[in-house]
Amino acid sequence: MKKVLFVCLGNICRSPMAEAIMRKLVKDRGLETEFELDSAGLISYHEGEGADPRMKSHAYRHGYNITHISRPVKELDFEVFDLIVCMDDSNWDRLHQLAPTVEAEEKIVRMTDYCRTHVIDHVPDPYYGGAQGFENVIEILEDACEGLLESLTVVHEKE
Ligand code: 4NP
């Protein structure tokens, strides 16, 4: 069982989108019982809300259903999850501040490190932009999630 937590700032755009894409990839490969997936945010401003309606509608058009309800990252997450996947440098810095131990810090990785076709170092925040920003998020996250799943599947098969 691999436990992966996707993290962004508000947990209403990028990280719930990453979670939904990963869920679909895992389901399509019949690997549901092998993965536990969740997402969380670094601010609690949107806690209890569903994903941003713009993100949901772009997701829907690409065949994804986002059902996640926003929640903030909590200390227990660093214990429960094997991998904490962030979207940008600001997320990275904040997660390192929150991590209770060195082992916990070692779980933090960047989503874009798993991209196979995009040469990019962060998933741009679409919140204050237009429709193209949301499309861009989906395109980057599809690339990154495929790379992430491949990396976890290879590791898993060796265990
Ligand atoms: P996310 O986007 O981090 O991808 O969920 C944002 C959502 C909300 C805010 C900023 C970014 N906000 O400032 O409320």
Side-chain angles (χ1 to χ4, degrees), residues 83 85 109-116 143-144 146-148 151:
L83 212 54
V85 187
V109 295
R110 285 182 171 80
M111 183 88 260
T112 47
D113 283 350
Y114 296 93
C115 280
R116 295 186 295 189
D143 181 15
E146 280 189 16
L148 174 61
S151 81

Side-chain angles (χ1 to χ4, degrees), residues 8-16 43 45-46 91 125-128:
C8 62
L9 180 61
N11 191 216
I12 55 169
C13 299
R14 293 167 292 175
S15 61
I43 54 173
Y45 187 73
H46 298 282
N91 300 164
D125 185 345
Y127 191 67
Y128 293 106

Side-chain angles (χ1 to χ4, degrees), residues 6-146:
F6 297 97
V7 174
C8 62
L9 180 61
N11 191 216
I12 55 169
C13 299
R14 293 167 292 175
S15 61
M17 187 69 249
E19 181 192 339
I21 290 170
M22 195 67 175
R23 245 180 232 298
K24 184 162 187 291
L25 286 178
V26 163
K27 185 168 184 254
D28 288 350
R29 286 163 178 73
L31 298 171
E32 288 125 305
T33 57
E34 306 196 15
F35 284 87
E36 184 173 317
L37 305 169
D38 197 1
S39 65
L42 291 159
I43 54 173
S44 52
Y45 187 73
H46 298 282
E47 186 169 8
E49 295 175 17
D52 186 305
R54 298 168 295 172
M55 190 75 261
K56 276 184 140 171
S57 100
H58 282 271
Y60 188 73
R61 272 182 261 150
H62 286 266
Y64 303 107
N65 185 23
I66 306 181
T67 55
H68 182 75
I69 301 296
S70 176
R71 70 156 179 99
V73 171
K74 51 184 189 282
E75 191 169 327
L76 190 62
D77 290 327
F78 289 96
E79 223 178 279
V80 168
F81 291 93
D82 303 307
L83 212 54
I84 298 179
V85 187
C86 72
M87 303 295 149
D88 60 32
D89 283 348
S90 168
N91 300 164
W92 171 273
D93 291 345
R94 188 75 191 109
L95 282 168
H96 277 270
Q97 287 165 2
L98 292 173
T101 61
V102 173
E103 290 74 27
E105 287 194 68
E106 286 168 356
K107 296 179 176 184
I108 304 165
V109 295
R110 285 182 171 80
M111 183 88 260
T112 47
D113 283 350
Y114 296 93
C115 280
R116 295 186 295 189
T117 60
H118 293 76
V119 182
I120 188 169
D121 65 3
H122 69 291
V123 184
D125 185 345
Y127 191 67
Y128 293 106
Q132 190 51 47
F134 289 91
E135 286 296 305
N136 197 31
V137 164
I138 294 173
E139 199 186 300
I140 295 166
L141 290 176
E142 284 181 332
D143 181 15
C145 283
E146 280 189 16

